[in-house]
Amino acid sequence: MMDAAEPESIQRWREEFEERIKEKDAKAEEDNQALKEEGTQELEGLHDTHKQLIEDNLQKNKDDEEAFINARDDTNPDNAWQRVAALVDFSTKANRNQRDVARMRSVLLQLKQHGLPQAA
């Protein structure tokens, strides 16, 4: 590739240029490798975090289910309406596609607060 008629300064420049290109390629390869390793570590950390989040949610769901079952199976007659009220959504958000349950909600709230009137 080198022509015999090329001056020595141009030959030196070509050699230095090729050396600089090789150094830049080597540095780019090192940087690429470092980025890949960093990405792999970050991905592993993300997987670990996600796995821990799933485990925490499973445990919370088990605890919530246990509490719900205990509350559901409570046979104390004094808090029967409180147990019913715990299962009802008392938010007043109305959706057009749903029936109006405001009256039923108010009846349940009254029963929760005062209970059934005792028959004489």
Side-chain angles (χ1 to χ4, degrees):
M1 191 165 178
M2 290 186 206
D3 191 11
E6 274 187 344
E8 185 180 324
S9 61
I10 292 180
Q11 288 177 357
R12 252 184 304 157
W13 178 84
R14 281 188 200 275
E15 291 170 1
E16 290 172 2
F17 179 74
E18 288 177 13
E19 187 64 32
R20 284 193 310 253
I21 295 295
K22 287 179 186 177
E23 288 173 7
K24 285 184 180 183
D25 286 345
K27 178 150 177 30
E29 185 63 34
E30 288 175 14
D31 291 347
N32 243 357
Q33 202 62 22
L35 282 175
K36 284 182 183 179
E37 290 174 11
E38 183 181 331
T40 302
Q41 290 173 353
E42 209 169 299
L43 191 60
E44 288 174 0
L46 181 66
H47 286 302
D48 292 343
T49 303
H50 184 32
K51 186 177 179 181
Q52 184 63 40
L53 182 64
I54 289 173
E55 289 174 3
D56 291 347
N57 282 342
L58 285 174
Q59 185 60 42
K60 182 184 176 296
N61 288 345
K62 285 180 184 178
D63 294 344
D64 289 348
E65 181 183 17
E66 221 173 85
F68 174 77
I69 289 173
N70 289 339
R72 181 194 67 190
D73 294 343
D74 186 14
T75 58
N76 186 357
D78 295 339
N79 65 356
W81 287 110
Q82 290 175 351
R83 289 186 300 145
V84 171
L87 300 174
V88 177
D89 180 21
F90 287 106
S91 65
T92 58
K93 297 178 203 169
N95 188 351
R96 284 187 188 183
N97 300 332
Q98 293 180 345
R99 293 183 176 176
D100 182 21
V101 292
R103 185 162 184 250
M104 181 65 164
R105 188 180 304 117
S106 67
V107 169
L108 286 174
L109 277 172
Q110 287 174 357
L111 288 171
K112 176 184 173 187
Q113 292 170 353
H114 306 292
L116 282 175
Q118 300 296 326

PDB file of all heavy atoms in Angstrom, residues 45-60:
ATOM      1  N   GLY A  45     -30.013  -6.496  38.859  1.00  0.00           N
ATOM      2  CA  GLY A  45     -30.578  -5.765  39.987  1.00  0.00           C
ATOM      3  C   GLY A  45     -32.068  -5.535  39.806  1.00  0.00           C
ATOM      4  O   GLY A  45     -32.851  -5.651  40.748  1.00  0.00           O
ATOM      5  N   LEU A  46     -32.473  -5.222  38.585  1.00  0.00           N
ATOM      6  CA  LEU A  46     -33.886  -5.020  38.294  1.00  0.00           C
ATOM      7  C   LEU A  46     -34.674  -6.308  38.507  1.00  0.00           C
ATOM      8  O   LEU A  46     -35.756  -6.291  39.105  1.00  0.00           O
ATOM      9  CB  LEU A  46     -34.058  -4.523  36.851  1.00  0.00           C
ATOM     10  CG  LEU A  46     -35.470  -4.245  36.392  1.00  0.00           C
ATOM     11  CD1 LEU A  46     -36.051  -3.069  37.176  1.00  0.00           C
ATOM     12  CD2 LEU A  46     -35.484  -3.945  34.911  1.00  0.00           C
ATOM     13  N   HIS A  47     -34.117  -7.426  38.053  1.00  0.00           N
ATOM     14  CA  HIS A  47     -34.787  -8.711  38.250  1.00  0.00           C
ATOM     15  C   HIS A  47     -34.902  -9.046  39.740  1.00  0.00           C
ATOM     16  O   HIS A  47     -35.940  -9.538  40.187  1.00  0.00           O
ATOM     17  CB  HIS A  47     -34.042  -9.837  37.514  1.00  0.00           C
ATOM     18  CG  HIS A  47     -34.212  -9.814  36.037  1.00  0.00           C
ATOM     19  ND1 HIS A  47     -35.433  -9.890  35.416  1.00  0.00           N
ATOM     20  CD2 HIS A  47     -33.306  -9.731  35.041  1.00  0.00           C
ATOM     21  CE1 HIS A  47     -35.278  -9.851  34.114  1.00  0.00           C
ATOM     22  NE2 HIS A  47     -33.991  -9.741  33.852  1.00  0.00           N
ATOM     23  N   ASP A  48     -33.839  -8.786  40.491  1.00  0.00           N
ATOM     24  CA  ASP A  48     -33.865  -9.052  41.931  1.00  0.00           C
ATOM     25  C   ASP A  48     -34.920  -8.191  42.625  1.00  0.00           C
ATOM     26  O   ASP A  48     -35.682  -8.669  43.469  1.00  0.00           O
ATOM     27  CB  ASP A  48     -32.493  -8.803  42.561  1.00  0.00           C
ATOM     28  CG  ASP A  48     -31.458  -9.821  42.109  1.00  0.00           C
ATOM     29  OD1 ASP A  48     -31.853 -10.888  41.581  1.00  0.00           O
ATOM     30  OD2 ASP A  48     -30.244  -9.551  42.275  1.00  0.00           O
ATOM     31  N   THR A  49     -34.976  -6.918  42.257  1.00  0.00           N
ATOM     32  CA  THR A  49     -35.960  -6.009  42.842  1.00  0.00           C
ATOM     33  C   THR A  49     -37.373  -6.464  42.511  1.00  0.00           C
ATOM     34  O   THR A  49     -38.255  -6.470  43.379  1.00  0.00           O
ATOM     35  CB  THR A  49     -35.733  -4.571  42.321  1.00  0.00           C
ATOM     36  OG1 THR A  49     -34.398  -4.186  42.627  1.00  0.00           O
ATOM     37  CG2 THR A  49     -36.709  -3.603  42.941  1.00  0.00           C
ATOM     38  N   HIS A  50     -37.576  -6.856  41.263  1.00  0.00           N
ATOM     39  CA  HIS A  50     -38.897  -7.314  40.825  1.00  0.00           C
ATOM     40  C   HIS A  50     -39.297  -8.597  41.565  1.00  0.00           C
ATOM     41  O   HIS A  50     -40.435  -8.741  42.022  1.00  0.00           O
ATOM     42  CB  HIS A  50     -38.886  -7.544  39.321  1.00  0.00           C
ATOM     43  CG  HIS A  50     -40.195  -7.927  38.730  1.00  0.00           C
ATOM     44  ND1 HIS A  50     -41.405  -7.501  39.219  1.00  0.00           N
ATOM     45  CD2 HIS A  50     -40.498  -8.699  37.670  1.00  0.00           C
ATOM     46  CE1 HIS A  50     -42.386  -8.006  38.496  1.00  0.00           C
ATOM     47  NE2 HIS A  50     -41.859  -8.742  37.556  1.00  0.00           N
ATOM     48  N   LYS A  51     -38.356  -9.504  41.704  1.00  0.00           N
ATOM     49  CA  LYS A  51     -38.620 -10.761  42.408  1.00  0.00           C
ATOM     50  C   LYS A  51     -38.979 -10.486  43.870  1.00  0.00           C
ATOM     51  O   LYS A  51     -39.924 -11.069  44.408  1.00  0.00           O
ATOM     52  CB  LYS A  51     -37.389 -11.664  42.323  1.00  0.00           C
ATOM     53  CG  LYS A  51     -37.593 -13.034  42.881  1.00  0.00           C
ATOM     54  CD  LYS A  51     -36.342 -13.884  42.674  1.00  0.00           C
ATOM     55  CE  LYS A  51     -36.514 -15.256  43.241  1.00  0.00           C
ATOM     56  NZ  LYS A  51     -35.303 -16.079  43.073  1.00  0.00           N
ATOM     57  N   GLN A  52     -38.248  -9.571  44.511  1.00  0.00           N
ATOM     58  CA  GLN A  52     -38.526  -9.219  45.905  1.00  0.00           C
ATOM     59  C   GLN A  52     -39.895  -8.566  46.031  1.00  0.00           C
ATOM     60  O   GLN A  52     -40.640  -8.841  46.968  1.00  0.00           O
ATOM     61  CB  GLN A  52     -37.432  -8.279  46.442  1.00  0.00           C
ATOM     62  CG  GLN A  52     -37.595  -7.945  47.902  1.00  0.00           C
ATOM     63  CD  GLN A  52     -37.467  -9.168  48.790  1.00  0.00           C
ATOM     64  OE1 GLN A  52     -36.624 -10.029  48.565  1.00  0.00           O
ATOM     65  NE2 GLN A  52     -38.310  -9.263  49.792  1.00  0.00           N
ATOM     66  N   LEU A  53     -40.249  -7.709  45.078  1.00  0.00           N
ATOM     67  CA  LEU A  53     -41.553  -7.049  45.082  1.00  0.00           C
ATOM     68  C   LEU A  53     -42.681  -8.076  44.970  1.00  0.00           C
ATOM     69  O   LEU A  53     -43.686  -7.991  45.682  1.00  0.00           O
ATOM     70  CB  LEU A  53     -41.639  -6.037  43.938  1.00  0.00           C
ATOM     71  CG  LEU A  53     -42.914  -5.236  43.830  1.00  0.00           C
ATOM     72  CD1 LEU A  53     -43.078  -4.344  45.054  1.00  0.00           C
ATOM     73  CD2 LEU A  53     -42.895  -4.395  42.568  1.00  0.00           C
ATOM     74  N   ILE A  54     -42.494  -9.062  44.121  1.00  0.00           N
ATOM     75  CA  ILE A  54     -43.500 -10.116  43.965  1.00  0.00           C
ATOM     76  C   ILE A  54     -43.643 -10.911  45.256  1.00  0.00           C
ATOM     77  O   ILE A  54     -44.755 -11.195  45.706  1.00  0.00           O
ATOM     78  CB  ILE A  54     -43.147 -11.036  42.774  1.00  0.00           C
ATOM     79  CG1 ILE A  54     -43.361 -10.286  41.469  1.00  0.00           C
ATOM     80  CG2 ILE A  54     -43.984 -12.315  42.800  1.00  0.00           C
ATOM     81  CD1 ILE A  54     -42.891 -11.046  40.248  1.00  0.00           C
ATOM     82  N   GLU A  55     -42.519 -11.263  45.867  1.00  0.00           N
ATOM     83  CA  GLU A  55     -42.562 -12.012  47.124  1.00  0.00           C
ATOM     84  C   GLU A  55     -43.257 -11.207  48.225  1.00  0.00           C
ATOM     85  O   GLU A  55     -44.058 -11.751  48.989  1.00  0.00           O
ATOM     86  CB  GLU A  55     -41.149 -12.401  47.551  1.00  0.00           C
ATOM     87  CG  GLU A  55     -40.520 -13.462  46.683  1.00  0.00           C
ATOM     88  CD  GLU A  55     -39.064 -13.726  47.027  1.00  0.00           C
ATOM     89  OE1 GLU A  55     -38.539 -13.119  47.987  1.00  0.00           O
ATOM     90  OE2 GLU A  55     -38.446 -14.548  46.328  1.00  0.00           O
ATOM     91  N   ASP A  56     -42.949  -9.916  48.293  1.00  0.00           N
ATOM     92  CA  ASP A  56     -43.586  -9.050  49.300  1.00  0.00           C
ATOM     93  C   ASP A  56     -45.094  -8.968  49.069  1.00  0.00           C
ATOM     94  O   ASP A  56     -45.881  -9.017  50.021  1.00  0.00           O
ATOM     95  CB  ASP A  56     -42.981  -7.650  49.270  1.00  0.00           C
ATOM     96  CG  ASP A  56     -41.544  -7.619  49.760  1.00  0.00           C
ATOM     97  OD1 ASP A  56     -41.091  -8.625  50.357  1.00  0.00           O
ATOM     98  OD2 ASP A  56     -40.875  -6.588  49.545  1.00  0.00           O
ATOM     99  N   ASN A  57     -45.498  -8.832  47.807  1.00  0.00           N
ATOM    100  CA  ASN A  57     -46.931  -8.761  47.494  1.00  0.00           C
ATOM    101  C   ASN A  57     -47.636 -10.075  47.822  1.00  0.00           C
ATOM    102  O   ASN A  57     -48.769 -10.063  48.324  1.00  0.00           O
ATOM    103  CB  ASN A  57     -47.149  -8.411  46.026  1.00  0.00           C
ATOM    104  CG  ASN A  57     -46.947  -6.946  45.744  1.00  0.00           C
ATOM    105  OD1 ASN A  57     -46.975  -6.126  46.654  1.00  0.00           O
ATOM    106  ND2 ASN A  57     -46.719  -6.605  44.491  1.00  0.00           N
ATOM    107  N   LEU A  58     -46.975 -11.201  47.548  1.00  0.00           N
ATOM    108  CA  LEU A  58     -47.573 -12.489  47.892  1.00  0.00           C
ATOM    109  C   LEU A  58     -47.779 -12.615  49.395  1.00  0.00           C
ATOM    110  O   LEU A  58     -48.841 -13.063  49.850  1.00  0.00           O
ATOM    111  CB  LEU A  58     -46.694 -13.640  47.380  1.00  0.00           C
ATOM    112  CG  LEU A  58     -46.735 -13.920  45.894  1.00  0.00           C
ATOM    113  CD1 LEU A  58     -45.697 -14.982  45.517  1.00  0.00           C
ATOM    114  CD2 LEU A  58     -48.114 -14.370  45.463  1.00  0.00           C
ATOM    115  N   GLN A  59     -46.779 -12.208  50.164  1.00  0.00           N
ATOM    116  CA  GLN A  59     -46.892 -12.285  51.623  1.00  0.00           C
ATOM    117  C   GLN A  59     -47.993 -11.361  52.124  1.00  0.00           C
ATOM    118  O   GLN A  59     -48.792 -11.733  52.984  1.00  0.00           O
ATOM    119  CB  GLN A  59     -45.552 -11.928  52.283  1.00  0.00           C
ATOM    120  CG  GLN A  59     -45.564 -12.112  53.778  1.00  0.00           C
ATOM    121  CD  GLN A  59     -45.854 -13.546  54.185  1.00  0.00           C
ATOM    122  OE1 GLN A  59     -45.346 -14.492  53.590  1.00  0.00           O
ATOM    123  NE2 GLN A  59     -46.693 -13.718  55.193  1.00  0.00           N
ATOM    124  N   LYS A  60     -48.059 -10.154  51.578  1.00  0.00           N
ATOM    125  CA  LYS A  60     -49.098  -9.198  51.980  1.00  0.00           C
ATOM    126  C   LYS A  60     -50.479  -9.753  51.637  1.00  0.00           C
ATOM    127  O   LYS A  60     -51.413  -9.652  52.446  1.00  0.00           O
ATOM    128  CB  LYS A  60     -48.883  -7.859  51.294  1.00  0.00           C
ATOM    129  CG  LYS A  60     -49.892  -6.801  51.684  1.00  0.00           C
ATOM    130  CD  LYS A  60     -49.681  -5.528  50.882  1.00  0.00           C
ATOM    131  CE  LYS A  60     -50.720  -4.495  51.177  1.00  0.00           C
ATOM    132  NZ  LYS A  60     -52.069  -4.875  50.800  1.00  0.00           N
TER     133      LYS A  60
END
